[in-house]
């Protein structure tokens, strides 16, 4: 079968790669099993001029055509650019120029383009002389289409200032927004990333090689964020806002390589400069004054402000060294030092005119002057002292040293209250520059028990020290064991098992509370804690983890290959009274491929996956009832999460007319169900939550017809049906929630058809 006739380019990547992998898996064993005797010379197929030409000449191709999308859908075209109904240009090319393989010229050039007619386009140009130098210029564009169903009453979307219509009527909650429906306008949550890059490499000598790379990237559009007005005691009010994205980033790399027969040395430098053209997002509050807000914090004079991602810099210097100490051993070392800085000017404590007069204790500095130094050392030694034995040892050290200055800030809660400068104020906070130091030691070995059976084992110790956290030191020890055997030429199987245990220093749940607040305030808080003493953050808590993987492959005939894999992970947080207490992940996959004839191949797969987790908590309020409620089991709640995901796929390729007409098809079905079960103590009430559901059907039909030598006609039909149900979105209009002005976006649901017809010319 001449697979080059078939157009796989627009087939979903997962489906395309899986189909190719299964086909190759089927073909390789069959090829390897071919038997020849010394007195028998295999027959030589007649030389195919076109086949010889493909092997000995550099070929170029240009493909042009037209495609059509049946409906508008942001979800369907999220990254591909196929988000709008209507026709589009299908244009791809790969124009190459190389000197003849048996000639003297070493110059080359390549002009490559993909999806030129879509917003997901890519193009590049390369030119150089093999073994001497090369230059590269490229352009890359990736769209993101998030949601097209949202609506907002704010004017100024896309900029840093959001204001309400002049006839807006405020309310203490969304039920009072009598002009909301008349003020709503569509807002599309989408953004576009564009990148222009250039590179140069030069071989300075047989041992020294230099190359450099520069990329300029912009990202423009919208994403969603939440703006809050209010402070505590049930008075906060919120609005879901379209946040502007207007980023620019410069990236630069320079690398110098030194290579000999046994040693390799690399010096590298990386630079990243990030700029956000929007410093902050300011929005007009749609709410009238709530109890607990200062006088004057009400529409139309109340505003909120949110700082957006700040400008920052990143510099990294790296040295990589490798040495083939002998034919059976090798040592590598990777060392890098990086510095991250950020000195964006602070926004004021508040943007509300009614509150600015109360600011008697100004910001302690004009900017954070943030700085983090990161040092990384990674050493690896590998050896094969015996033909049946190999082993490796690794040491990895990382020090993330946060050198950001520490200061005290008397902030204003949610742009809604007068500044409270009292020594016992709960608004007097100290920033905590979080640092981390990690050391990993690992030892792994492998031994060949028999000609087709390998045993592997490993030990790993991972220690972490953190600052300004509930647990300053944590240690995790891991044991790994594996066995792989090719039982026969047709059967292979194996397993991998891993057991890890994490514990550490005493968990002090109120450490961040005591270290970030003024002691004069914490002394007034009953119990001197914010979170429940029994609560454990899952990434710091004691944990026992078991991981098991099983895999097998079976070839009942040369043309048939069957594979199976199963994976299970169990995390037990047995010392956590509250927080995440248990998590399990299971997945099982069965795949098969069948080479029916020389011209026909088929494949199929099925996967079942299940995620489960349990989370425990206890509800309590502040004030006089805090200690009483926090010790009352009747305030307990438990949440059980379960996600089930099933998928299956099948497909085939077939040479309907050998070397003339190829056809193929792929089909994928995927379904997920999410369940959230809540149980509560006798003093709490809860209602069942609806299940979260998604379902996908995807069908692709494609074919290629050789009109004449070097000229091919390609056709493709793609259908995708997607349906989802999400209670957090469905039936939630902008004013459904009393204290949150939402966008009212809906769960994606579409039936999309795409047809493309193109002509490809090779030369």
């Amino acid at each position: 079968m001449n697979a080059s006739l078939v157009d796989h380019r627009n087939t979903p990547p997962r489906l395309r790669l899986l189909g190719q992998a299964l086909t190759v898996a089927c073909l390789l064993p069959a090829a390897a099993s071919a038997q020849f005797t010394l007195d028998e010379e295999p027959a030589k197929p007649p030389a195919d001029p076109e086949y010889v030409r493909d092997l000995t000449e550099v070929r170029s191709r240009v493909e042009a055509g037209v495609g059509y999308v049946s409906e508008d859908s942001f979800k369907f075209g999220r990254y591909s650019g196929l988000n709008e109904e209507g026709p589009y240009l299908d244009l791809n090319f790969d124009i190459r120029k190389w000197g003849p393989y048996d000639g003297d010229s070493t110059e080359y050039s390549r002009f490559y383009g993909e999806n030129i007619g879509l917003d997901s386009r890519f193009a590049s140009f390369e030119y150089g002389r093999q073994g001497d130098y090369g230059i590269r210029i490229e352009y890359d564009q990736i769209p993101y289409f998030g949601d097209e169903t949202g609506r907002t009453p704010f004017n100024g979307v896309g900029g840093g200032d959001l204001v309400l219509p002049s006839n807006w009527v405020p309310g203490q909650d969304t039920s009072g927004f009598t002009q909301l429906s008349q003020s709503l306008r569509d807002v599309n949550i989408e953004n576009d990333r564009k990148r222009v890059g250039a590179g140069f490499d030069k071989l300075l000598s047989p041992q020294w090689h230099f190359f450099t790379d520069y990329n300029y990237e912009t990202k423009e559009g919208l994403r969603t964020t939440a703006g809050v007005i209010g402070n505590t005691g049930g008075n906060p009010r919120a609005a879901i806002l379209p946040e502007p994205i207007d980023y620019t980033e410069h990236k630069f790399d320079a690398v110098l390589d030194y290579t000999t027969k046994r040693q390799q040395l690399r010096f590298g430098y990386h630079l990243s400069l990030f700029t956000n053209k929007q410093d902050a997002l300011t929005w007009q509050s749609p709410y009238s004054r709530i109890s607990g807000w200062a006088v004057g914090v009400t529409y139309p004079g109340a505003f909120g402000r949110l700082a957006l991602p700040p400008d920052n810099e990143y510099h990294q210097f790296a040295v990589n060294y490798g040495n083939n100490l002998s034919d059976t051993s090798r040592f590598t070392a990777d060392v890098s030092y990086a510095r991250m800085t950020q000195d964006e000017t602070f926004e004021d404590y508040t943007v509300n005119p009614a509150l600015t007069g109360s600011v008697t204790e100004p910001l302690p500095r004009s900017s954070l002057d943030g700085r983090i130094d990161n040092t990384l050392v990674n050493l690896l030694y590998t050896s094969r002292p015996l033909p049946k034995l190999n082993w490796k040892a690794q040491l990895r050290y990382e020090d993330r040293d946060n050198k950001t200055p520490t200061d005290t800030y008397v902030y204003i809660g949610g742009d809604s209250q007068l500044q409270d400068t009292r020594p016992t104020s709960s608004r007097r906070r100290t920033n905590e520059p979080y640092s981390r130091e990690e050391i990993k030691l690992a030892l792994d070995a492998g031994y060949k028990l028999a000609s087709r059976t390998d045993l592997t084992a490993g030990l790993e110790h991972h220690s972490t020290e953190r600052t300004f956290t509930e647990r300053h030191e944590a240690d995790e020890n891991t044991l790994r064991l594996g066995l792989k055997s090719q039982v026969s030429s047709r059967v292979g199987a194996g397993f991998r098992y891993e057991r890890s245990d994490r514990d550490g220093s005493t968990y002090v749940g109120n450490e961040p509370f005591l270290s970030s607040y003024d002691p004069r305030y914490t002394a007034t808080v009953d119990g001197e804690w914010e979170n429940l003493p029994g609560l454990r953050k899952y990434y710091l808590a004691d944990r026992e983890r078991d991981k098991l993987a099983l895999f097998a492959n079976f070839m009942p005939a040369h043309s048939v290959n069957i594979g199976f894999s199963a994976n299970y992970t169990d995390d037990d947080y047995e010392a956590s009274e509250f927080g995440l207490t248990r998590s399990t992940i299971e997945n099982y996959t069965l795949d098969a491929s069948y080479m029916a004839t020389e011209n026909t191949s088929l494949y199929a797969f099925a996967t079942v996956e299940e995620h489960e987790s349990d989370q425990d908590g206890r509800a309590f309020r502040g004030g006089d009832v805090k200690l009483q409620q926090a010790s009352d089991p009747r305030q307990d709640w438990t949440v059980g999460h379960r996600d089930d995901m099933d998928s299956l796929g099948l497909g085939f390729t077939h040479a309907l007319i050998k070397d003339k007409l190829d056809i193929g098809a792929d089909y994928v079905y995927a379904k997920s169900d999410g369940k959230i079960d809540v149980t509560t103590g006798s003093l709490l009430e809860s209602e069942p939550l609806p299940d979260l559901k998604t379902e996908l059907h995807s069908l692709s039909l494609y074919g290629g017809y050789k009109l004449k030598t070097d000229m091919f006609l390609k056709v493709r039909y793609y259908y995708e049906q997607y349906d989802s149900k999400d209670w957090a979105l469905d039936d939630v209009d902008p004013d459904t929630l009393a204290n949150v002005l939402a966008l009212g976006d809906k769960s994606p649901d579409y039936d999309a058809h795409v047809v493309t017809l193109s002509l490809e010319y090779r030369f």
Side-chain angles (χ1 to χ4, degrees):
M1 175 182 180
N2 187 354
S4 62
L5 296 181
V6 179
D7 182 9
H8 296 274
R9 178 176 47 79
N10 288 321
T11 304
R14 175 190 174 194
L15 195 61
R16 183 174 66 248
L17 293 176
L18 183 59
Q20 293 172 348
L22 293 175
T23 301
V24 171
C26 178
L27 290 173
L28 287 179
S33 64
Q35 301 293 321
F36 300 101
T37 61
L38 293 177
D39 57 353
E40 179 182 47
E41 183 177 348
K44 296 181 179 180
D48 183 345
E50 186 175 348
Y51 176 73
V52 173
R53 183 182 177 191
D54 285 336
L55 288 178
T56 59
E57 296 182 14
V58 174
R59 306 293 302 278
S60 297
R61 68 177 183 87
V62 175
E63 179 184 359
V66 63
Y68 185 85
V69 182
S70 66
E71 72 170 71
D72 295 340
S73 172
F74 270 30
K75 176 67 174 178
F76 176 69
R78 176 151 293 178
Y79 298 105
S80 66
L82 298 172
N83 60 296
E84 292 185 354
E85 178 186 355
Y88 68 92
L89 175 65
D90 184 23
L91 178 61
N92 309 275
F93 53 82
D94 188 1
I95 302 173
R96 309 184 188 193
K97 184 178 181 181
W98 261 266
Y101 74 97
D102 55 354
D104 296 329
S105 175
T106 60
E107 289 189 356
Y108 68 89
S109 64
R110 185 183 187 187
F111 187 29
Y112 179 84
E114 184 176 357
N115 294 331
I116 301 302
L118 296 170
D119 291 338
S120 57
R121 58 182 61 91
F122 174 83
S124 67
F125 175 75
E126 299 176 62
Y127 176 80
R129 182 178 292 121
Q130 297 180 57
D132 188 2
Y133 70 90
I135 60 173
R136 173 190 58 82
I137 301 173
E138 65 182 32
Y139 174 83
D140 188 19
Q141 183 176 346
I142 298 178
Y144 172 78
F145 298 100
D147 182 80
E148 77 273 40
T149 62
R151 296 176 296 161
T152 182
F154 289 99
N155 296 318
V157 171
D161 295 290
L162 299 177
V163 295
L164 293 161
S166 58
N167 64 341
W168 182 258
V169 177
Q172 291 196 339
D173 57 40
T174 57
S175 65
F177 299 162
T178 58
Q179 290 296 314
L180 177 61
S181 60
Q182 298 92 325
S183 304
L184 290 174
R185 62 195 65 196
D186 294 339
V187 56
N188 292 336
I189 304 303
E190 59 182 297
N191 55 71
D192 195 32
R193 183 188 70 83
K194 298 177 182 178
R195 181 179 62 86
V196 178
F200 172 76
D201 70 274
K202 172 67 176 177
L203 188 65
L204 304 175
S205 73
Q207 290 79 35
W208 291 95
H209 179 216
F210 172 77
F211 63 89
T212 184
D213 191 72
Y214 169 75
N215 288 281
Y216 172 74
E217 184 175 309
T218 62
K219 189 174 183 179
E220 298 178 338
L222 296 173
R223 65 181 183 184
T224 56
T225 190
V228 178
I229 302 282
N231 44 79
T232 187
N235 68 36
R237 298 293 186 269
I240 304 302
L241 307 171
E243 176 187 323
I245 297 176
D246 196 355
Y247 305 158
T248 299
E249 186 173 12
H250 300 266
K251 291 182 180 180
F252 174 77
D253 289 276
V255 176
L256 180 63
D257 282 339
Y258 174 77
T259 305
T260 65
K261 183 177 180 180
R262 288 192 174 273
Q263 298 186 76
Q264 304 83 41
L265 181 63
R266 168 172 289 188
F267 302 94
Y269 169 71
H270 174 75
L271 168 67
S272 173
L273 303 175
F274 174 84
T275 302
N276 188 352
K277 296 180 181 179
Q278 297 283 353
D279 296 330
L281 176 62
T282 303
W283 69 95
Q284 188 175 24
S285 172
Y287 298 96
S288 55
R289 183 172 178 268
I290 312 289
S291 177
W293 293 5
V295 175
V297 181
T298 184
Y299 176 86
F303 290 85
R305 176 172 288 174
L306 175 70
L308 299 180
D311 299 353
N312 59 79
E313 296 184 11
Y314 178 84
H315 302 261
Q316 183 189 61
F317 299 89
V319 178
N320 310 104
Y321 175 71
N323 191 323
N324 299 329
L325 301 174
S326 68
D327 293 339
T328 59
S329 62
R330 177 172 171 81
F331 171 76
T332 61
D334 303 319
V335 180
S336 67
Y337 172 79
R339 174 169 294 179
M340 295 165 273
T341 58
Q342 186 270 104
D343 61 355
E344 186 78 8
T345 302
F346 278 142
E347 299 295 327
D348 293 332
Y349 276 134
T350 181
V351 69
N352 268 329
L355 306 177
T356 54
S358 72
V359 179
T360 58
E361 189 170 330
L363 287 160
R365 53 177 50 247
S366 61
S367 73
L368 179 67
D369 196 20
R371 171 181 162 183
I372 297 177
D373 294 340
N374 200 87
T375 303
L376 176 65
V377 179
N378 191 20
L379 308 177
L380 179 65
Y381 178 80
T382 60
S383 177
R384 185 183 292 274
L386 299 172
K388 293 186 176 183
L389 175 66
N390 65 83
W391 66 278
K392 65 179 180 179
Q394 181 186 19
L395 166 64
R396 187 182 188 277
Y397 170 79
E398 183 176 9
D399 179 26
R400 181 183 175 92
D401 186 8
N402 194 333
K403 296 184 176 181
T404 302
T406 299
D407 285 287
T408 298
Y409 300 81
V410 187
Y411 70 95
I412 292 176
D415 286 298
S416 63
Q417 59 182 182
L418 302 176
Q419 188 184 48
D420 184 359
T421 61
R422 295 174 301 160
T424 57
S425 171
S426 63
R427 305 299 175 181
R428 185 179 294 276
R429 298 293 297 274
T430 300
N431 66 299
E432 299 183 321
Y434 171 84
S435 295
R436 183 185 73 245
E437 187 178 33
E438 294 184 85
I439 297 177
K440 185 179 81 169
L441 300 170
L443 180 64
D444 291 273
Y447 186 76
K448 186 173 288 295
L449 297 176
S451 61
R452 295 182 175 182
T453 304
D454 295 309
L455 175 68
T456 59
L459 293 171
E460 182 178 309
H461 174 74
H462 189 185
S463 63
T464 306
E465 293 186 8
R466 298 178 173 91
T467 61
F468 301 109
T469 59
E470 293 83 353
R471 169 167 274 173
H472 291 295
E473 298 178 4
D475 295 291
E476 185 166 8
N477 296 305
T478 302
L479 168 66
R480 292 186 286 267
L481 187 65
L483 182 68
K484 180 174 67 174
S485 179
Q486 191 65 34
V487 180
S488 69
S489 61
R490 296 180 180 272
V491 180
F495 78 90
R496 293 187 300 271
Y497 173 72
E498 183 176 299
R499 166 77 178 199
S500 59
D501 190 356
R502 183 177 68 197
D503 57 17
S505 59
T506 302
Y507 193 98
V508 183
N510 63 346
E511 198 280 343
F513 172 72
L514 296 176
S515 59
S516 65
Y517 284 97
D518 193 297
R520 293 168 291 184
Y521 165 70
T522 58
T524 68
V525 178
D526 290 339
E528 293 193 324
W529 48 262
E530 279 185 319
N531 294 321
L532 289 168
L535 178 66
R536 298 291 183 266
K537 295 180 178 178
Y538 75 93
Y539 63 91
L540 297 174
D542 291 354
R543 183 194 67 193
E544 293 181 352
R545 168 175 286 179
D546 292 284
K547 298 177 69 174
L548 177 63
L550 304 173
F551 50 92
N553 60 77
F554 176 53
M555 187 182 297
H558 291 317
S559 58
V560 179
N561 190 71
I562 301 173
F564 171 77
S565 65
N567 295 274
Y568 175 79
T569 300
D570 178 78
D571 290 342
D572 188 356
Y573 301 87
E574 58 180 8
S576 297
E577 180 182 2
F578 299 113
L580 182 64
T581 59
R582 192 69 179 263
S583 173
T584 61
I585 301 175
E586 301 178 52
N587 68 71
Y588 308 92
T589 298
L590 179 67
D591 59 71
S593 63
Y594 174 46
M595 195 70 176
T597 67
E598 178 186 358
N599 300 322
T600 305
S601 63
L602 303 93
Y603 76 89
F605 70 88
T607 297
V608 176
E609 189 165 350
E610 178 184 298
H611 294 211
E612 288 191 67
S613 63
D614 296 322
Q615 184 178 358
D616 296 337
R618 180 172 293 165
F620 68 94
R621 297 179 59 186
D624 296 337
V625 298
K626 173 184 174 182
L627 296 181
Q628 175 185 348
Q629 291 184 344
S631 60
D632 188 347
R634 295 176 299 174
Q635 299 278 131
D636 286 355
W637 55 264
T638 299
V639 178
H641 301 263
R642 174 167 176 164
D643 295 306
D644 295 310
M645 291 152 284
D646 304 320
S647 61
L648 63 88
L650 50 91
F652 77 91
T653 58
H654 175 62
L656 198 60
I657 303 175
K658 188 176 180 180
D659 297 329
K660 190 72 173 179
L661 175 60
D662 290 354
I663 60 173
D666 296 303
Y667 170 74
V668 169
Y669 171 77
K671 180 182 179 181
S672 69
D673 290 291
K675 300 180 183 297
I676 304 175
D677 295 323
V678 182
T679 58
T680 62
S682 59
L683 295 183
L684 301 178
E685 296 182 1
S686 65
E687 295 183 4
L689 294 172
D691 292 347
L692 304 169
K693 294 181 177 292
T694 61
E695 190 171 19
L696 170 74
H697 294 269
S698 172
L699 174 66
S700 180
L701 306 175
Y702 43 86
Y705 181 74
K706 182 189 289 188
L707 298 172
K708 59 181 181 179
T709 302
D710 298 330
M711 184 74 73
F712 305 89
L713 178 66
K714 296 183 177 182
V715 62
R716 179 176 181 268
Y717 167 74
Y718 182 65
Y719 169 72
E720 188 168 290
Q721 181 191 58
Y722 183 87
D723 182 34
S724 62
K725 292 179 174 59
D726 184 349
W727 52 264
L729 297 175
D730 297 333
D731 301 320
V732 179
D733 294 323
D735 58 351
T736 298
L737 304 177
N739 298 333
V740 179
L741 176 59
L743 289 180
D745 36 6
K746 308 301 179 185
S747 298
D749 185 1
Y750 60 82
D751 287 85
H753 304 260
V754 179
V755 179
T756 60
L757 180 65
S758 63
L759 194 65
E760 180 180 300
Y761 175 63
R762 301 176 187 176
F763 56 95

